[in-house]
Amino acid sequence: MKTDIVLAGVGGQGILSVATILGVAALKESLNIKQAEVHGMSQRGGDVQSNLRISSEPIASDLIPTGKADLILSLEPMEALRYLPLLSREGWIVTSTAPFVNIPNYPDMSSIEAELKGAGNVVAFDMEAMAKAIASPRSVNMILLGAASPFIEMETAEIEAAIAGVFSPKGENIVEANIKAFRAGREEALSQINKK
């Protein structure tokens, strides 16, 4: 088993929490992990990116080579496109379609959507709207994790247990909201995959 994941987004979206949860779940399954993080001006809406490598074999480097990523996970569509050179030919992009417009010359959404479509294997939907509708706006990162879960060779129960472990200090209601968000994201991704 080997999964190389690029996590991308904007500061404050909870991208690094996704990496933490996957790391906890991987360790429970006795898998090897390596992670490298790049923090931009995260408190000002800057770029946040993390390489997460999970494998049943030893991992030499924490950085994913160009063209070798299995997954690009993003809570911002333009950020997903930024890391396309890292994606393998068979790889998948899982992204929210809700833009975080933090620059004056942010591209037109129709051109971003066209580029995503042309990228091949893509699961894309408005994760922010789903989070607001079914759990809370802050659980959008768990929607992303759920949507990515069909592409990660780990037990769903282990990922949910890791979510519970990470969020348990915040109370049972937060744990339940995040697991609900995870399940909703997974269901939407499975629905999109089945239509392809």
Side-chain angles (χ1 to χ4, degrees), residues 9-12 39-48 79 100 102:
V10 172
H39 302 267
M41 298 289 285
S42 60
Q43 293 189 345
R44 295 187 183 168
D47 173 39
V48 176
E79 291 299 323
F100 186 93
N102 57 351

Side-chain angles (χ1 to χ4, degrees), residues 95-145:
T95 186
S96 179
T97 56
F100 186 93
V101 182
N102 57 351
I103 54 174
N105 57 342
Y106 192 93
D108 181 67
M109 269 310 293
S110 60
S111 64
I112 291 174
E113 287 168 3
E115 204 168 335
L116 279 172
K117 264 189 186 152
N121 298 326
V122 178
V123 169
F125 58 97
D126 189 337
M127 296 179 187
E128 284 185 23
M130 180 179 278
K132 288 175 187 169
I134 59 108
S136 85
R138 295 192 57 127
S139 63
V140 67
N141 57 344
M142 293 302 102
I143 301 265
L144 175 67
L145 178 56

